[in-house]
Amino acid sequence: MEKNHPEGVGLAASCMAACPVHTPTQAYVQAIAEGRYEDAMDLLLSANPFSSVCGRICHHPCEQNCRRIAVDKPISLRGLKRFVMDQTKDFRKTRKRQVAPANGKKAAIIGAGPSGLTAAQDLALKGYQVTVFEASDSPGGMLGKAIPRYRLPFDVVMEDIKDILALGIELKTNTAIGKDLSFADLRQQGFNAILLAIGLAQSKSIGIPGIDSKGILLGIPFLRMAAEGVPVKLGEKVVVIGGGNVAIDVARTARRLGAKKVTMVSLESRKEMPAWEWEIQEAVDEGIELMPSWGPKAIQAGKGGVRGIELKKCTRVFDENKRFNPAFDESVTTQVACDIILIAIGQGSDFSFLQGSGVKLTPRGLLEWDGETFATSAPGIFASGETVTGPGSAVEAVASGHRAAEAMDHWLQTGTFKKVPKEELPNIGELPKEVAEKARKLERVEVGLTDAGKRVQDFEEFERTYTEAEALREARRCVACATGAVVTEELCAACLTCVRMCPFGVATVDRTASTPAEKCLTCGLCAAECPAAAIALSRFGTEKVKQELLRLAGVKKDKDKPIIVSFNCIYEAQSRRYLKPGEEVLGKDGILRIMVPCVARLKVTELLMPFELGAEGVAVIACEEGECVYPTAEDRLEVRVRRAKQLLDEIGIGGGRMDLFKTKGSAEESWEELWEESRNKIKSAGTGAGAEVSR
Amino acid sequence: MIVAERKPFAEIKEFLAPYKKVMILGCGTCVTVCQAGGQAEVDILTSELKIADRQAGKSREFITGTVTRQCEPEMVDPILEQVKRDQPEAILTLACGVGCNFLAERVGKVPVFPGVNTSFYGTALEHGVFAEMCAGCGQCILHLTGGICPIARCTKSLMNGPCGGSNKGKCEISTEVDCGWALIVKRMEELGTLDKLTEIYAARDWSKSFHGGPRKLLIPSVKIAAELAAQAEEAKKPGVKS
């Protein structure tokens, strides 16, 4: 039995558990750290076809739940995701996907936003013939029409959409169902099922005096005009009503369109404002003024249009039952002069197109809909995304699309409804304080933003992507939760080595060893030192080393270029130059590189193994002196190398054939030099090792 | 715990020189704990042998494994089966001397070689540091000496130490070695029982230690119960009259 095996106890890393689509987060971050950007992309897209988009605008619940928060700051997961998607654009276009053979059934998706297109993708992959109907002239939904370009360039939206459509999905733009085509038409065209994924494209307004004045615009149409480059005259002073993320987008867009003074008025107090804190901060940096805890009372307008707005003090937004139920102190009022008022207080859907579809609405005007089967009241018509879930993020829309597709597939195949509830993964939870305080702090690599004064001048993307070196440095910070030590109980002798080795005080022995996944920081020192070979590290092991070393078979010896196996710490690489195995087994230099996520994990047997297979020398290249992320690991490695050298002396081939080096600066800066040093040492030791053995 | 130390590689290499198919066997109990003969050491030794073989231009087959306790019939029996099946020409065991004996007696014609020097009964003072604490003399007198053994921890196994070679708490043989009797005196002083050392005791019966020849222990309750069970089993067989 394997004790505390993360998979055995079914624990998911907290980042993955928090993601609405359960992106295999730590797996893709490890893939980045190992230079496998294409694998990282596959992992990302396996969960989320809108990964390029989410790399820009996701509200990243993964980061909010990153266990590194207990140590210092979360991993910049969104930044890393964007890096991967930016790095693999070409590969993405050429990769092959496994599509099930056509099953002869047709599905219609209404609405080409993230939810509809995700469902379209999933159904296409399952062999359905899918057509997406979009009322406007371009796909993307809110991603293309509302989210400002400075946050999400349109070509990024199209990167994801083109990739989805490349599965053979037909997109019909400028086709409004209920107007250009009726539901009956769809049935007649042979669509066996229909998904309503029209989103919340209608801005809500407020009933206050003066609301019909000239100079009042609703948020979504305003954002759409800005996104499509339609000129909007704003004047000098703009008031934005609303405190959510759309209101922030509206305010920042107004700033970029030339408004000198932009004031955001929200019912909510500063703390209650529903917009993401970082977006509020970015808006403030851009000179946007916040007026929290104020509600609109009346609009003052003259012949020329809006002149200002009267506000009343909002004393409470939510009642005791946490329901939206604002209360005001009418006696406290204030006035704000302005030329334009933009209203961003929420969105809704226009369901008038459903007439004749058989889809019923609730008395409150919402869709009658089952949140688990995704079915509406009309047979064969399903619904997903914000239309039914209410306002949410892009990744939540994607999650809804996945689930809807699964429900539709089941219905199409069996004629019965399947409940597809939200899947909650067993979360590994927070990193306990007593472990976190022993972990080494590593500075988060922040992505630079364009200076606020400069960025408000245009709609250029204001956040840059990581450089490769930055991404690799940031990926190194990931603890790879839930991939740590796994104890095979039958082998354990309860010798206490793990307890004594563990730099984080995690391992315990209670009859047999225990390394709880919830606490393990995955350094692997216990596995490297276990005298019973009872502990393995799920993220790295002997088998991997063996596989790499088997490449030595058949390599010809050359006295000028002794065969040297170099175990290198991957965390010192600033590029893929050394991370990706070359075409040739050995470089021109006779070096077989084995990249290890921390060489302090290497066991004595792993250090010796190259000599079994004909290597003439071994170089172990650790990180820079004092730079290892794991406390005590450098000393432990040194002791193990020393023992391996002694064994080589005993065997008679000489401990001088193995050396432990420390990286100087970076891999790129120092490894060639270290290999040269190693080569010279081995040459002077003679080509003794394994000399007369033919391979 | 039995503490052992791996034998030098040259010695092991020589033992195994004539054989082309070798089994290397670890033990998962004491020698694993003292890092001399667990699976990790089996792997390391096998690797050493393979490297040496390659060096010498030869290659041979190794069969490796670890038995939970190499001193128990039920645990060793599967190895005997494996030996019959795989037919190694020799076995190198990293178990203590007990395990080596036990296996050698049972395994038939295959030679069994020791891969460790079995050293003593000891304790881990800290990780990687072991010290002798007991000599297995068969007649424990720890109750008389404050829980510290004069047989194992006095170089001369004196019953009436310390001797004249005790110097500032160390034994005359080495400044690294504590004087066992100095420890006893200190401990008994601590306990306020030092005066007990003035009492006269009967002479020790050394025949109960190794001096009386190889020892055997029979636990009557266990042994008799087993015999009764065997008899009952026998009686059930058809044709056997009770």
Side-chain angles (χ1 to χ4, degrees):
Chain A
M1 208 184 96
E2 286 175 339
K3 205 169 172 181
N4 299 300
H5 191 300
E7 284 156 31
V9 291
L11 287 177
S14 51
C15 46
M16 181 178 179
C19 175
V21 292
H22 302 318
T23 302
T25 312
Q26 44 91 335
Y28 86 73
V29 176
Q30 291 315 301
I32 297 172
E34 290 168 21
R36 296 181 290 111
Y37 307 149
E38 291 76 16
D39 291 346
M41 185 213 72
D42 276 332
L43 287 163
L44 283 168
L45 290 176
S46 71
N48 183 356
F50 283 93
S51 289
S52 293
V53 165
C54 284
R56 302 302 204 286
I57 58 146
C58 192
H59 67 298
H60 48 69
C62 49
E63 288 189 31
Q64 278 95 302
N65 287 275
C66 173
R67 305 212 311 158
R68 224 191 145 91
I69 288 173
V71 181
D72 38 40
K73 284 181 176 170
I75 310 294
S76 177
L77 293 164
R78 185 175 62 78
L80 289 174
K81 174 183 278 194
R82 171 171 173 183
F83 169 78
V84 169
M85 299 316 293
D86 284 353
Q87 286 285 320
T88 55
K89 282 181 192 177
D90 293 333
F91 174 77
R92 185 177 186 183
K93 286 178 199 150
T94 54
R95 81 196 199 285
K96 294 267 180 293
R97 280 175 283 187
Q98 272 213 319
V99 181
N103 61 24
K105 293 193 168 159
K106 287 173 75 177
I109 311 289
I110 303 178
S115 180
L117 285 173
T118 298
Q121 170 203 257
D122 290 2
L123 291 169
L125 286 171
K126 285 177 195 286
Y128 294 93
Q129 189 187 331
V130 184
T131 306
V132 180
F133 298 95
E134 167 61 38
S136 76
D137 60 356
S138 62
M142 289 296 190
L143 304 176
K145 293 177 193 71
I147 295 182
R149 302 290 192 246
Y150 62 86
R151 288 212 290 137
L152 182 60
F154 192 62
D155 55 2
V156 173
V157 181
M158 287 312 293
E159 257 171 47
D160 287 334
I161 293 178
K162 280 181 188 160
D163 187 51
I164 294 168
L165 296 178
L167 288 168
I169 294 163
E170 190 181 6
L171 170 68
K172 289 197 168 171
T173 51
N174 295 314
T175 310
I177 303 300
K179 202 170 110 194
D180 302 316
L181 271 180
S182 69
F183 281 88
D185 292 337
L186 291 180
R187 302 265 190 217
Q188 208 164 25
Q189 288 180 16
F191 288 103
N192 306 87
I194 298 167
L195 180 69
L196 307 176
I198 58 164
L200 298 173
Q202 315 292 319
S203 273
K204 289 180 182 163
S205 188
I206 28 174
I208 55 169
I211 193 71
D212 298 325
S213 313
K214 201 176 142 201
I216 295 177
L217 276 172
L218 293 175
I220 298 296
F222 168 73
L223 288 174
R224 185 170 174 177
M225 284 191 282
E228 290 173 353
V230 178
V232 191
K233 272 204 165 176
L234 283 182
E236 295 254 304
K237 288 171 284 188
V238 171
V239 164
V240 177
I241 300 176
N245 291 307
V246 175
I248 294 272
D249 283 347
V250 167
R252 295 174 76 181
T253 296
R255 211 45 198 105
R256 281 163 176 76
L257 287 173
K260 292 269 182 305
K261 185 169 184 274
V262 178
T263 309
M264 281 184 71
V265 175
S266 67
L267 296 179
E268 296 89 354
S269 67
R270 174 68 182 79
K271 269 190 179 167
E272 289 170 324
M273 279 175 72
W276 299 114
E277 183 53 36
W278 61 89
E279 291 202 17
I280 298 174
Q281 203 46 57
E282 285 168 9
V284 169
D285 291 346
E286 291 171 9
I288 287 156
E289 283 177 33
L290 305 180
M291 284 189 70
S293 299
W294 288 99
K297 186 169 181 183
I299 288 164
Q300 295 139 347
K303 270 191 191 159
V306 170
R307 285 205 315 261
I309 183 165
E310 186 181 10
L311 304 171
K312 54 186 174 181
K313 195 73 195 169
C314 179
T315 54
R316 166 200 89 179
V317 183
F318 301 98
D319 63 17
E320 310 76 55
N321 301 324
K322 292 181 182 165
R323 277 208 304 237
F324 180 76
N325 186 9
F328 299 94
D329 182 346
E330 304 277 347
S331 68
V332 184
T333 60
T334 188
Q335 317 250 345
V336 183
C338 61
D339 311 308
I340 292 279
I341 296 173
L342 300 168
I343 300 174
I345 57 158
Q347 285 103 249
S349 299
D350 176 5
F351 291 126
S352 58
F353 76 105
L354 288 173
Q355 271 190 355
S357 67
V359 177
K360 289 185 198 148
L361 298 183
T362 66
R364 288 181 60 205
L366 302 173
L367 272 188
E368 256 189 42
W369 175 73
D370 183 318
E372 290 194 326
T373 65
F374 288 76
T376 66
S377 47
I381 303 184
F382 296 78
S384 72
E386 285 187 320
T387 323
V388 280
T389 61
S393 59
V395 69
E396 282 161 339
V398 169
S400 174
H402 279 312
R403 289 166 59 209
E406 192 182 335
M408 286 171 78
D409 172 47
H410 185 86
W411 184 82
L412 283 161
Q413 293 305 319
T414 66
T416 60
F417 292 107
K418 180 185 180 183
K419 284 185 186 236
V420 187
K422 240 185 214 169
E423 191 191 2
E424 297 288 341
L425 299 182
N427 193 331
I428 194 165
E430 282 175 26
L431 192 63
K433 193 168 157 274
E434 71 273 18
V435 181
E437 65 197 13
K438 294 190 187 88
R440 184 170 171 173
K441 289 185 171 40
L442 295 170
E443 201 176 332
R444 174 171 152 129
V445 184
E446 298 291 356
V447 193
L449 304 182
T450 309
D451 186 59
K454 187 166 184 291
R455 69 187 188 230
V456 294
Q457 290 168 15
D458 54 37
F459 281 85
E460 282 299 304
E461 202 172 4
F462 73 105
E463 183 188 74
R464 64 170 182 83
T465 193
Y466 274 137
T467 62
E468 186 171 33
E470 286 172 334
L472 289 170
R473 192 145 53 91
E474 182 61 9
R476 172 192 193 177
R477 297 179 65 237
C478 176
V479 175
C481 301
T483 64
V486 178
V487 180
T488 303
E489 276 194 280
E490 297 86 35
L491 301 179
C492 176
C495 71
L496 296 165
T497 299
C498 51
V499 176
R500 294 167 183 160
M501 286 296 142
C502 179
F504 305 106
V506 167
T508 55
V509 166
D510 176 13
R511 298 190 73 87
T512 55
S514 174
T515 51
E518 299 89 324
K519 295 182 178 178
C520 179
L521 285 178
T522 74
C523 70
L525 292 186
C526 56
E529 306 268 351
C530 176
I535 308 180
L537 194 66
S538 51
R539 67 189 290 199
F540 179 81
T542 306
E543 268 316 300
K544 207 167 171 183
V545 174
K546 210 181 268 180
Q547 282 307 315
E548 297 267 353
L549 285 173
L550 286 177
R551 289 148 45 100
L552 281 177
V555 169
K556 291 268 186 303
K557 223 175 265 289
D558 177 338
K559 71 176 170 42
D560 293 325
K561 285 184 296 181
I563 301 168
I564 297 172
V565 170
S566 179
F567 292 108
N568 316 298
C569 177
I570 62 167
Y571 297 129
E572 295 304 297
Q574 296 195 345
S575 67
R576 280 217 268 196
R577 182 158 146 208
Y578 300 122
L579 290 173
K580 267 183 104 178
E583 289 291 303
E584 307 167 289
V585 174
L586 300 176
K588 290 194 186 80
D589 49 8
I591 308 281
L592 173 69
R593 302 191 308 262
I594 299 185
M595 305 302 295
V596 188
C598 183
V599 285
R601 299 197 165 108
L602 291 168
K603 298 177 189 182
V604 173
T605 40
E606 288 159 0
L607 292 169
L608 293 177
M609 211 183 278
F611 294 102
E612 285 178 36
L613 295 159
E616 290 154 282
V618 164
V620 181
I621 307 185
C623 51
E624 248 188 304
E625 186 77 48
E627 284 297 305
C628 184
V629 295
Y630 306 115
T632 72
E634 285 167 277
D635 293 345
R636 300 281 179 212
L637 174 67
E638 201 174 322
V639 170
R640 261 177 267 135
V641 171
R642 207 183 300 154
R643 170 144 197 237
K645 285 164 76 81
Q646 274 166 6
L647 296 172
L648 292 174
D649 276 335
E650 271 191 12
I651 296 164
I653 70 169
R657 292 184 176 275
M658 182 180 295
D659 263 308
L660 173 60
F661 298 101
K662 304 269 181 174
T663 302
K664 296 184 188 86
S666 67
E668 288 77 1
E669 285 167 283
S670 64
W671 287 4
E672 297 289 349
E673 226 170 84
L674 297 175
W675 286 326
E676 181 60 25
E677 193 181 328
S678 174
R679 195 158 34 238
N680 289 336
K681 271 194 175 177
I682 309 299
K683 271 200 267 183
S684 66
T687 48
E692 282 80 35
V693 183
S694 59
R695 298 187 189 88
Chain B
M1 178 182 62
I2 295 172
V3 178
E5 188 181 18
R6 219 203 69 189
K7 278 182 175 291
F9 179 68
E11 202 179 332
I12 294 174
K13 191 175 141 190
E14 204 179 312
F15 293 159
L16 301 177
Y19 307 105
K20 292 222 154 46
K21 189 173 184 181
V22 175
M23 177 183 256
I24 305 199
L25 211 53
C27 178
T29 308
C30 306
V31 290
T32 296
V33 178
C34 65
Q35 318 228 355
Q39 184 61 43
E41 290 302 314
V42 169
D43 293 341
I44 288 170
L45 176 61
T46 310
S47 185
E48 285 182 87
L49 288 163
K50 283 182 182 170
I51 296 169
D53 283 356
R54 185 174 191 108
Q55 184 79 354
K58 62 179 189 180
S59 82
R60 54 183 158 172
E61 197 183 332
F62 293 98
I63 304 158
T64 63
T66 295
V67 179
T68 304
R69 290 203 298 277
Q70 236 182 80
C71 52
E72 303 275 9
E74 291 87 343
M75 289 173 172
V76 168
D77 283 350
I79 292 298
L80 305 180
E81 289 303 311
Q82 194 186 349
V83 168
K84 271 186 209 153
R85 195 175 62 237
D86 296 345
Q87 303 200 320
E89 293 170 13
I91 300 173
L92 189 284
T93 174
L94 293 176
C96 69
V98 178
C100 186
N101 273 267
F102 195 70
L103 189 62
E105 279 190 353
R106 278 163 180 72
V107 79
K109 272 191 164 174
V110 188
V112 180
F113 297 98
V116 300
N117 290 320
T118 305
S119 308
F120 52 81
Y121 306 146
T123 184
L125 296 179
E126 59 185 278
H127 195 56
V129 182
F130 296 90
E132 185 166 16
M133 293 281 158
C134 172
C137 71
Q139 198 186 11
C140 202
I141 49 155
L142 287 164
H143 58 295
L144 303 178
T145 56
I148 292 166
C149 179
I151 311 297
R153 302 182 70 183
C154 165
T155 307
K156 296 178 187 166
S157 298
L158 287 180
M159 282 298 293
N160 55 347
C163 72
S166 180
N167 185 5
K168 292 179 185 157
K170 298 292 174 187
C171 175
E172 64 184 324
I173 64 158
S174 160
T175 50
E176 301 281 298
V177 178
D178 288 327
C179 167
W181 271 101
L183 296 173
I184 292 169
V185 168
K186 186 168 167 253
R187 176 71 182 143
M188 292 183 76
E189 263 175 351
E190 245 172 39
L191 297 171
T193 56
L194 193 61
D195 60 317
K196 282 208 162 196
L197 287 180
T198 60
E199 289 174 23
I200 307 292
Y201 296 102
R204 278 174 59 79
D205 178 3
W206 287 101
S207 73
K208 288 184 176 173
S209 82
F210 185 70
H211 304 73
R215 291 162 284 178
K216 206 171 194 175
L217 178 70
L218 182 148
I219 305 172
S221 56
V222 178
K223 180 65 183 162
I224 290 165
E227 274 174 5
L228 289 175
Q231 278 172 21
E233 202 57 36
E234 192 66 21
K236 275 190 219 159
K237 284 184 185 167
V240 178
K241 284 175 192 164
S242 57

